[in-house]
Amino acid sequence: MGDRHDHGRDAVLALQAAQILATAAQGAHVTPGQAAAAMIAGSRGATVPTHLERSLRRAIENARTPSLPAARTALLPSRGRTEEALAEFRRCRSRLAASPPDEAARRAVDDAAYTLCVMLGRTSVHDAVVAAERHLASPA
């Protein structure tokens, strides 16, 4: 009976690890396979790319942080500031898409994403973008 319980727990942990790796890969703009290969190489002494390591740390932190209820921001930033931050995030993301190996572009995306998340009280970039779009679409 204990073995069955351990197997179930191991399956849940494997699923959580796969979700964290997929989230990290998405944040680093690589495939999950590329992220996994880099992590395996890192465990063998190779250097893990900084942007991937940063993305993995962020994904782990997000997995450890309990989700907040949907109405989590009591005070929203101004519409103008929200629009500026969202536009900056999109500009940075486009710049990175045009030149994936550009470390400065990758840092700019990370900074813009962080700003958007903090401004809107969200723990994921996707949630922050959705919240920004809702804020901008809502009646004044």
Side-chain angles (χ1 to χ4, degrees):
M1 183 111 157
D3 289 339
R4 193 176 311 156
H5 176 70
D6 289 343
H7 180 69
R9 185 190 60 192
D10 290 346
V12 168
L13 291 174
L15 179 60
Q16 289 172 334
Q19 289 170 336
I20 289 169
L21 184 65
T23 300
Q26 182 180 14
H29 306 286
V30 298
T31 67
Q34 291 168 323
M39 293 298 117
I40 290 169
S43 73
R44 296 180 177 149
T47 301
V48 176
T50 305
H51 68 280
L52 181 56
E53 188 174 330
R54 220 179 9 240
S55 186
L56 182 62
R57 284 188 182 137
R58 205 173 310 119
I60 291 168
E61 183 60 34
N62 286 342
R64 289 179 175 166
T65 304
S67 297
L68 299 173
R72 42 185 168 224
T73 304
L75 182 61
L76 291 172
S78 71
R79 287 178 186 280
R81 184 62 187 115
T82 301
E83 195 168 26
E84 288 171 12
L86 186 57
E88 176 64 12
F89 171 72
R90 288 180 172 152
R91 269 192 303 275
C92 292
R93 197 174 55 181
S94 292
R95 178 180 158 205
L96 181 60
S99 181
D102 183 353
E103 283 297 319
R106 191 170 310 282
R107 282 190 304 275
V109 168
D110 287 346
D111 291 346
Y114 177 80
T115 298
L116 205 54
C117 287
V118 170
M119 281 180 54
L120 292 151
R122 301 302 195 269
T123 58
S124 80
V125 177
H126 175 75
D127 289 347
V129 169
V130 169
E133 290 171 342
R134 283 186 185 146
H135 178 45
L136 294 172
S138 68

